[in-house]
Amino acid sequence: MNDEVNDDCKRIGRFDVDFARRTITRISDGAFIKASRSETLIFTLLAEKANNTIYREVLLAECWQGKVVTNNSLTVAIKNLRTAFVKIGEHKIITTEPKLGYCIRQSALIDDGSHPPKSNDIISDENVVQPILLKEETDNKQSLSLSNKEKTDISRTCNISLFEIIVGILFFFATLTMCYRFLFFMDTTSVEGLPVIYNGIDLPKPVQNAILQNDNSSISRWYAFPISKSCNYYQLFSVSNGQFINYSPTIKQEICSVK
């Protein structure tokens, strides 16, 4: 991993870390996240020690120097980093090592071409020299362009069917329900490298087997949670292309009576 340091900036893999502005920028397309000082230091320490588990105690000591903080401060900081990275399409940056600490895989720091530069950032020769138009001709073109845009918008609106509206409403409420059920999740773990959001309790073997047997490249993350505190009966969902899919029936475990 080639790191470059320039004043208050450091390049780590495919990211630029600006300590003064407290930003972490993806080099390929310029997408960036804002972070606190401690969160910026956490990312830097994990990235510089890629493929190594950094213990929670080390992160607390190195990233909050001179301050007395609790484990909860680190949990919140990791959650904030993950949430910010998800917003720019990075879903597998930080991995939880249960009961130990956290890790960033070196593969997550290598540019795989999944985030190419935006097309409007590329300037072609045709845009270098533009002919000077008379004011009247320019106004006519702008008026014609606006008229065509209005017609296009009206046409698209008319093509929206009642069925699509109903499906959209149902999907919204389903997503809302899922989000409500996942509010109690505290942390993220991994099952052989696959990110799983859970409630901090070790996942039973049948749940882990179900995740490994059903995983595919379209799944970005898994959700596993117990349906009752009195037993180990779990429900399992995946997020694939922005949709929740129920994999609970694939878990080989005894049915538990919910009280």
Side-chain angles (χ1 to χ4, degrees):
M1 181 168 55
N2 297 323
D3 298 349
E4 299 178 8
V5 179
N6 182 14
D7 296 332
D8 290 330
C9 296
K10 175 176 285 190
R11 176 161 293 184
I12 309 177
R14 59 192 180 97
F15 295 97
D16 280 337
V17 181
D18 190 325
F19 296 99
R21 296 183 178 180
R22 297 176 183 174
T23 59
I24 303 172
T25 304
R26 186 167 56 211
I27 301 170
S28 62
D29 61 354
F32 69 93
I33 69 168
K34 293 285 290 183
S36 68
R37 177 179 179 276
S38 298
E39 292 163 0
T40 304
L41 292 175
I42 289 171
F43 172 83
T44 303
L45 181 57
L46 292 176
E48 289 180 334
K49 302 292 184 180
N51 286 340
N52 294 304
T53 299
I54 308 300
Y55 293 104
R56 297 177 68 94
E57 295 77 8
V58 174
L59 290 170
L60 287 169
E62 295 292 331
C63 303
W64 281 273
Q65 296 177 359
K67 294 183 179 181
V68 178
V69 292
T70 64
N71 281 330
N72 186 59
S73 299
L74 178 58
T75 300
V76 172
I78 293 292
K79 179 180 179 181
N80 291 341
L81 279 172
R82 284 171 171 157
T83 301
F85 273 114
V86 166
K87 291 181 180 179
I88 63 171
E90 299 286 350
H91 298 279
K92 302 180 180 180
I93 288 294
I94 300 176
T95 301
T96 299
E97 301 297 334
K99 300 181 180 180
L100 295 176
Y102 301 93
C103 173
I104 289 182
R105 305 298 179 192
Q106 189 167 2
S107 58
L109 301 174
I110 300 175
D111 189 355
D112 58 1
S114 58
H115 300 285
K118 297 178 181 179
S119 58
N120 56 5
D121 292 337
I122 303 175
I123 302 177
S124 64
D125 294 337
E126 296 178 358
N127 295 329
V128 176
V129 180
Q130 294 290 347
I132 300 176
L133 301 176
L134 295 176
K135 184 178 184 303
E136 182 179 355
E137 183 179 354
T138 302
D139 292 342
N140 290 337
K141 286 190 174 183
Q142 290 178 345
S143 176
L144 179 60
S145 176
L146 181 60
S147 177
N148 290 337
K149 183 177 183 301
E150 290 174 347
K151 291 180 179 179
T152 302
D153 291 342
I154 294 173
S155 176
R156 289 177 178 175
T157 302
C158 293
N159 288 333
I160 298 177
S161 66
L162 180 60
F163 174 76
E164 291 173 328
I165 294 175
I166 295 175
V167 170
I169 293 174
L170 292 176
F171 179 76
F172 170 78
F173 281 106
T175 304
L176 191 63
T177 302
M178 290 295 181
C179 292
Y180 175 79
R181 298 191 67 178
F182 297 151
L183 286 178
F184 68 92
F185 290 141
M186 298 169 53
D187 215 334
T188 300
T189 186
S190 64
V191 177
E192 295 190 10
L194 304 176
V196 183
I197 298 177
Y198 74 134
N199 65 341
I201 301 175
D202 292 342
L203 295 175
K205 197 65 177 178
V207 177
Q208 298 183 33
N209 292 337
I211 292 174
L212 295 175
Q213 293 171 1
N214 293 286
D215 186 67
N216 61 67
S217 59
S218 67
I219 296 177
S220 59
R221 59 189 176 278
W222 290 89
Y223 289 89
F225 58 93
I227 198 172
S228 173
K229 295 182 179 179
S230 61
C231 60
N232 287 328
Y233 181 60
Y234 271 68
Q235 286 198 345
L236 181 65
F237 291 86
S238 74
V239 178
S240 176
N241 298 322
Q243 294 184 342
F244 287 97
I245 301 176
N246 186 7
Y247 282 94
S248 302
T250 67
I251 302 176
K252 296 180 180 180
Q253 59 186 339
E254 295 181 1
I255 298 177
C256 175
S257 299
V258 180
K259 297 182 179 180

